[in-house]
Amino acid sequence: MENNKKTLILSIVGILVLVIAVVGVSFAMYSFTGTGTKTNVIQTGTVSMNFDPDNNFAVSNQYPMSDAKGIASEANKAEFGVTASWGTATMAVKYDLGITNITPGTTLTAEYIKVALLDSEENVIIGTENEGELTGGVKLSTLAATAGPNGLISTYGLTGGTITTSGATDSYTILAYVSDDYNLPTSDTSEESTSTSETFSFKVGISAAQA
């Protein structure tokens, strides 16, 4: 019965973190950071997001990027997965992924951050494409009113799914980079023109419930 369905108590928002900083005269620096996995209980089951610790997500001294450079750089990418486990019961778990905890800089805002999302087969979920090939990210600001497909996230939705086999994992790759239409602010002094340091950060969060 519907009353027997229990929403997951989730505390895994922020498993995957992207930090973008623009420093120096006109170059960008950013890094991904995995913050670990927490377990969320639904009856005898768990749902978790996992971060691939083998990837290095720190790049320094990079200019704001064209789409071609942004999607070509392996340092702009992070792989992660969503896993659901519940023993031998017949059950299904639905989930939505979305961007949360956005912390913009003074001028480095969501309209200058591009993101893309691919599934395990490299199909484009978020981004621009040509004949199935990723050609660029989309401005993060354009996702502000996008809900998750399962209705569990109302803003900045990325994708969602339903896991019907205990222990199965849905895998994804997220990309993010500073758009090449971003210009660093500068301040002029009597001797030289210098730029300010800018940062932008967000987290990939998950909401889930028994289907």
Side-chain angles (χ1 to χ4, degrees):
M1 295 178 61
E2 190 68 22
N3 291 336
N4 292 327
K5 295 185 176 180
K6 297 183 180 295
T7 300
L8 292 175
I9 301 172
L10 296 171
S11 56
I12 54 179
V13 170
I15 299 305
L16 184 63
V17 183
L18 171 69
V19 178
I20 299 179
V22 176
V23 295
V25 176
S26 60
F27 58 87
M29 175 181 179
Y30 76 89
S31 63
F32 278 98
T33 303
T35 59
T37 299
K38 295 181 180 179
T39 297
N40 307 275
V41 177
I42 177 170
Q43 295 177 347
T44 59
T46 63
V47 175
S48 63
M49 286 179 66
N50 59 75
F51 174 78
D52 186 351
D54 296 327
N55 291 327
N56 179 10
F57 301 113
V59 177
S60 61
N61 298 342
Q62 287 193 343
Y63 288 90
M65 295 181 177
S66 66
D67 287 331
K69 290 184 178 180
I71 66 175
S73 175
E74 290 298 316
N76 293 352
K77 304 174 184 178
E79 295 179 355
F80 67 100
V82 178
T83 302
S85 301
W86 57 81
T88 59
T90 299
M91 197 170 74
V93 172
K94 59 183 179 180
Y95 66 88
D96 283 343
L97 296 173
I99 300 296
T100 66
N101 296 78
I102 295 174
T103 306
T106 302
T107 63
L108 186 58
T109 56
E111 64 183 309
Y112 297 114
I113 304 301
K114 284 194 169 183
V115 296
L117 186 72
L118 307 176
D119 66 14
S120 59
E121 302 298 323
E122 298 191 350
N123 296 310
V124 179
I125 302 172
I126 299 291
T128 59
E129 60 180 300
N130 181 23
E131 296 183 350
E133 295 292 328
L134 180 68
T135 58
V138 300
K139 295 290 184 68
L140 182 56
S141 57
T142 65
L143 301 176
T146 302
N150 289 308
L152 301 172
I153 290 177
S154 60
T155 60
Y156 293 100
L158 292 173
T159 190
T162 301
I163 296 176
T164 59
T165 301
S166 179
T169 299
D170 289 348
S171 298
Y172 300 97
T173 299
I174 190 168
L175 300 83
Y177 55 95
V178 180
S179 174
D180 60 3
D181 62 354
Y182 174 72
N183 294 312
L184 277 168
T186 59
S187 59
D188 295 325
T189 65
S190 58
E191 297 181 354
E192 61 183 1
S193 178
T194 60
S195 64
T196 59
S197 177
E198 287 280 5
T199 63
F200 184 97
S201 66
F202 67 77
K203 299 178 181 180
V204 176
I206 183 172
S207 292
Q210 186 175 349

